[in-house]
Amino acid sequence: IEKETQKLSSEPPPGVTAVPDKDNYRYFHINMSGPDGTPYEAGVYVLELFLPEGYPMEPPKVRFLTKIYHPNIDKLGRICLDVLKDKWSPALQIRTVLLSIQALLSAPEPSDPLDTGVADHFIQNRKEAEEVAKTWNSKYAK
């Protein structure tokens, strides 16, 4: 964990800052820039990441604290992402998880939703759903 933390501060993923909590080295405060060319562009999203006792044998727990309109992220900020569940491997690192979340922002997967209402909107009217995502982005993301 210490090595990963040092690497995150010396070589952060592009558009991401991950700072360990001063009172708990397993808890990270994350700021993630919305990817260019997406409805999330220019927004800065706040996430929390927690490394459970079983890490690296079990995946980190990550969730969005900033409201976001996305089919794979629910109202509580939980994220539907394979590397946080069944595709987790101890070879993966915090950095990989953060890059995967950024990729998910660039390419929503409405066919594998966590929020079915948002997913239906993305499937039925992608342009309108992306407009809602942009509105939420300007309203909630810093």
Side-chain angles (χ1 to χ4, degrees):
I1 293 174
E2 202 173 308
K3 269 196 218 162
E4 277 196 67
T5 302
Q6 286 170 343
K7 189 163 184 196
L8 277 171
S9 66
S10 66
E11 300 171 39
V16 177
T17 58
V19 180
D21 189 85
K22 63 180 176 42
D23 298 323
N24 183 349
Y25 69 95
R26 290 181 168 276
Y27 182 85
F28 289 79
H29 303 274
I30 312 286
N31 284 336
M32 181 177 288
S33 298
D36 291 346
T38 72
Y40 313 104
E41 182 175 24
V44 176
Y45 292 86
V46 178
L47 295 84
E48 62 179 3
L49 183 145
F50 181 74
L51 301 174
E53 283 299 318
Y55 182 84
M57 300 316 282
E58 41 181 288
K61 309 276 184 234
V62 191
R63 74 183 187 103
F64 276 77
L65 299 177
T66 305
K67 279 182 74 162
I68 185 168
Y69 194 77
H70 192 288
N72 310 107
I73 302 163
D74 72 8
K75 288 172 181 53
L76 300 175
R78 294 175 300 195
I79 306 164
C80 180
L81 186 62
D82 57 359
V83 295
L84 293 174
K85 297 185 176 75
D86 56 333
K87 295 282 190 277
W88 174 254
S89 153
L92 298 175
Q93 295 184 333
I94 297 168
R95 178 185 181 86
T96 318
V97 168
L98 296 173
L99 290 169
S100 298
I101 292 169
Q102 265 188 324
L104 188 66
L105 291 182
S106 296
E109 288 286 343
S111 58
D112 184 21
L114 194 55
D115 187 318
T116 52
V118 175
D120 290 346
H121 195 191
F122 267 77
I123 291 166
Q124 289 159 9
N125 190 338
R126 181 75 175 231
K127 192 172 190 302
E128 187 183 280
E130 288 182 350
E131 284 305 314
V132 173
K134 277 185 194 166
T135 303
W136 282 36
N137 180 36
S138 56
K139 190 173 180 181
Y140 301 113
K142 292 180 186 145

